[in-house]
Amino acid sequence: MGTPKLSIDAVRSKAKNASLLWFHGFKEACCLHRVVVLCLRSRKLSIRTGQCFLLNGFIFLGSMFVLKSMVIPTLQWILPENCSQIDLQDSCSSGVVFKLYSFLRAGLIQLFYVFWFYPLYIFSFILSTLWYNDIAKYGFAAMRGYGSVAEESSSQKESTTKQSSVQTEKPTGLGGVMIGIGEQVYSVLLLSFFFLEVYAIGFIPYIGKALNFLLLSWMYAYYCFEYRWNFSEVSLEKRLDFFQTNWAFFAGFGNPCVLAIFFFSPLVSYGVMAVLFPLFVLTATSSRAEEALYSERRNSISAGIGKLPIFYAADALSLLSQHRFIGEFCTY
C-alpha cells in the first residue's frame, strides 16, 4: 500500500519541480527589457538590430501585408469571382470566363511569389543568419563591457567551480582546431536531424501538434543559447548535458518564441520569427540562467526531475551518418 502512494508523491514532486523550472524559463524569455538596456549600451548592436527589423519586419512582412490587403483585392476586382461583380450577364451564362479569371489570378499571385517573395526569403535568411551572430557578439560584448564590476567579481567567486564544469579547456594548436571543426560538423548534423524529427512528429494524429510545439520550443531555446555558449567556449558535450538536464527550463524559455509563430502561415511565421529571434538571442545572451540553475536550490530541483534524452534520436542518426561517411571515405 505504501509503494503506490510513494510513487504518486514522487510524480507530484517531479511535476512541481518541472513546473517551477518551466516558469523560470518562461519568465527569463519574457525579460525583453534587457534588449533595450543592451542596445543603449552598444551603438553597433542598435544598428544591427534595427537593420534586422527593417529587412524582416518592414520589407518582408510589409510585402506580405501589401499582397494580402492591396494586390489580391485589386486582382479580385479586375478579375472578379462571381456574377455580382460584373455587369455583363452574357459572361455569367458560362463558367468558362470565371475559370479563366481564377487561373489568371492564381498565376499572377504565383509570379509575385516566384519573383519577389522567394528571392526575398532566401536573401533575408542568409543575411539574417549573419546578422544574428553579430547581434549576439555585440550583445555579449555590451554585457561584459558595461557590467557591474562588483557584481561580476562576486558572481565569479561564487560560481568558479560551477562554471568549470560547464566550460572545458580545449587543446591548443592543430588538435584544438580539429576538435572545434569536428564539434561544429557534428552540431550541424545533430540539429539538422532534430529539425527533421520536429517536422515529422507534426504529422502524428491527435498528439502531433502538441509534440511539435514542445520540440520546437526546445529547438528555438537551444538556438538562442547556442550563441552564448559559442562565445563562452562551452563544449558540445557539456551543452547537450546541461540542456537535457534542465529540459523544463528550456521548454519554458522556448514557449514564447513558438507561441508568436505557431498559428501563422509558414512565410508569415518566418517573418515574425526573424523579427523576434534577435530579441530572444539577446535575452539568452544577457541571462544569468546558468548561475541560477547551478545554484544549490535550482540544482536540487533539476536533479529531482531527472535528465531527459531530448536529442537521443538525432544523436543516434548523427553517429550513424558519421560512421557511414567515414566508412565510405576509408574505402577510397
Side-chain angles (χ1 to χ4, degrees):
M1 294 294 292
T3 304
K5 182 179 180 181
L6 182 62
S7 62
I8 292 173
D9 290 340
V11 170
R12 186 182 293 118
S13 176
K14 287 187 176 183
K16 179 182 177 182
N17 291 338
S19 300
L20 289 173
L21 282 177
W22 177 88
F23 179 75
H24 181 57
F26 192 92
K27 185 176 69 173
E28 280 289 313
C30 294
C31 293
L32 297 177
H33 62 278
R34 298 174 184 167
V35 179
V36 179
V37 174
L38 291 176
C39 287
L40 291 175
R41 291 174 177 176
S42 173
R43 186 171 178 271
K44 290 182 178 179
L45 177 61
S46 301
I47 293 174
R48 189 64 83 211
T49 306
Q51 289 173 332
C52 194
F53 287 166
L54 180 65
L55 174 62
N56 298 303
F58 184 76
I59 298 178
F60 190 86
L61 288 178
S63 298
M64 290 293 297
F65 177 78
V66 169
L67 175 67
K68 299 292 185 182
S69 62
M70 296 180 63
V71 175
I72 293 179
T74 302
L75 288 176
Q76 290 175 342
W77 177 69
I78 297 173
L79 304 170
E81 296 179 328
N82 49 60
C83 293
S84 61
Q85 295 176 288
I86 60 176
D87 298 327
L88 299 176
Q89 297 299 321
D90 294 337
S91 300
C92 291
S93 59
S94 174
V96 177
V97 174
F98 294 106
K99 290 180 181 179
L100 177 62
Y101 285 172
S102 177
F103 175 78
L104 289 175
R105 277 198 315 273
L108 290 171
I109 292 173
Q110 286 302 316
L111 286 176
F112 196 88
Y113 275 94
V114 170
F115 290 103
W116 178 249
F117 271 116
Y118 295 143
L120 181 61
Y121 171 81
I122 296 171
F123 176 75
S124 170
F125 181 82
I126 295 173
L127 200 57
S128 295
T129 302
L130 300 174
W131 284 350
Y132 294 154
N133 189 70
D134 290 343
I135 288 171
K137 179 177 66 176
Y138 296 146
F140 195 74
M143 182 188 67
R144 293 178 66 91
Y146 289 84
S148 172
V149 177
E151 181 184 354
E152 188 174 344
S153 61
S154 62
S155 63
Q156 284 179 352
K157 289 178 182 178
E158 292 175 359
S159 61
T160 299
T161 57
K162 298 167 185 175
Q163 288 294 332
S164 63
S165 64
V166 181
Q167 296 183 359
T168 58
E169 295 183 3
K170 295 182 181 179
T172 57
L174 183 60
V177 173
M178 295 302 295
I179 290 175
I181 294 174
E183 283 192 349
Q184 288 296 322
V185 172
Y186 188 79
S187 178
V188 170
L189 279 175
L190 182 76
L191 294 175
S192 298
F193 282 121
F194 188 73
F195 176 79
L196 292 176
E197 180 185 345
V198 173
Y199 180 76
I201 281 178
F203 293 100
I204 298 177
Y206 304 114
I207 62 171
K209 288 295 182 182
L211 291 176
N212 182 261
F213 180 86
L214 179 61
L215 292 179
L216 273 176
S217 299
W218 278 325
M219 187 178 72
Y220 281 119
Y222 187 89
Y223 283 148
C224 290
F225 277 87
E226 187 180 32
Y227 292 97
R228 175 191 177 100
W229 292 331
N230 283 337
F231 295 128
S232 301
E233 298 183 353
V234 181
S235 68
L236 180 62
E237 181 183 359
K238 295 296 181 182
R239 297 181 196 184
L240 297 179
D241 180 71
F242 181 73
F243 191 91
Q244 294 177 125
T245 301
N246 300 282
W247 55 269
F249 169 84
F250 289 106
F253 189 94
N255 280 169
C257 310
V258 183
L259 277 172
I261 65 168
F262 198 69
F263 302 102
F264 295 113
S265 64
L267 279 177
V268 176
S269 296
Y270 166 77
V272 173
M273 177 49 65
V275 171
L276 296 180
F277 186 68
L279 306 183
F280 293 116
V281 168
L282 290 174
T283 304
T285 301
S286 60
S287 172
R288 295 197 175 273
E290 292 183 18
E291 288 86 347
L293 291 172
Y294 270 97
S295 66
E296 188 173 343
R297 178 172 175 271
R298 297 287 184 188
N299 196 26
S300 62
I301 294 177
S302 298
I305 64 174
K307 184 177 178 179
L308 188 65
I310 300 168
F311 298 103
Y312 178 81
D315 184 49
L317 290 172
S318 301
L319 287 174
L320 180 63
S321 62
Q322 274 194 329
H323 291 159
R324 285 284 183 89
F325 175 78
I326 293 172
E328 292 291 333
F329 182 77
C330 290
T331 56
Y332 291 99

